[in-house]
Amino acid sequence: IFVAAEPVDLRKGFDGLAGATRTIIRQNPLSGHLFIFINRRANRAKILVFEPSGYWLLYKRLEYGRFRLPEPPADGARHVELDSTALALMLEGIDLRGAKRRKRWYPDKTG
């Protein structure tokens, strides 16, 4: 899941956001990943995803509050990568910048 770190004009449709995926996020919009774009006021977001039969475009407007990236982009990057949990919380308008993630158990991948 990739979120553009800079505001995008959300009047863009499928093709305009696919172009923004290439230029801002620097990924292939046909990859099947989710690409999220937020407007300048940070109260609207569009999600673009491609599946073999075509593009999906989801649009959300917060009535109150703003979308906030959970972390700033890495040096030189113009996007932030999220997992599905962080995306769900961000789309609810929850600010994750001060949140702490607890340690998780992961199976040993060597065996």
Side-chain angles (χ1 to χ4, degrees):
I1 301 170
F2 298 93
V3 183
E6 57 191 61
V8 174
D9 181 358
L10 293 188
R11 293 177 289 182
K12 294 180 181 191
F14 297 102
D15 297 327
L17 292 176
T21 300
R22 288 184 185 95
T23 59
I24 297 172
I25 300 177
R26 296 189 179 142
Q27 293 285 324
N28 180 359
L30 303 176
S31 66
H33 296 296
L34 275 69
F35 300 101
I36 295 91
F37 302 94
I38 300 171
N39 68 339
R40 187 166 306 282
R41 290 177 33 191
N43 66 342
R44 296 168 194 235
K46 279 189 177 181
I47 302 174
L48 180 72
V49 65
F50 182 81
E51 63 178 28
S53 60
Y55 281 110
W56 279 93
L57 188 61
L58 293 91
Y59 192 20
K60 179 158 186 176
R61 177 183 73 192
L62 289 177
E63 295 299 326
Y64 298 102
R66 306 260 185 261
F67 294 112
R68 301 279 184 218
L69 295 177
E71 59 192 46
D75 289 338
R78 297 171 68 191
H79 70 276
V80 173
E81 292 185 41
L82 301 180
D83 62 14
S84 59
T85 304
L87 174 63
L89 293 170
M90 188 186 90
L91 289 176
E92 285 299 316
I94 298 171
D95 188 350
L96 297 172
R97 287 180 288 180
K100 291 184 181 179
R101 182 170 284 229
R102 300 204 185 257
K103 283 183 150 182
R104 292 185 175 195
W105 178 83
Y106 292 100
D108 184 18
K109 295 182 181 186
T110 61

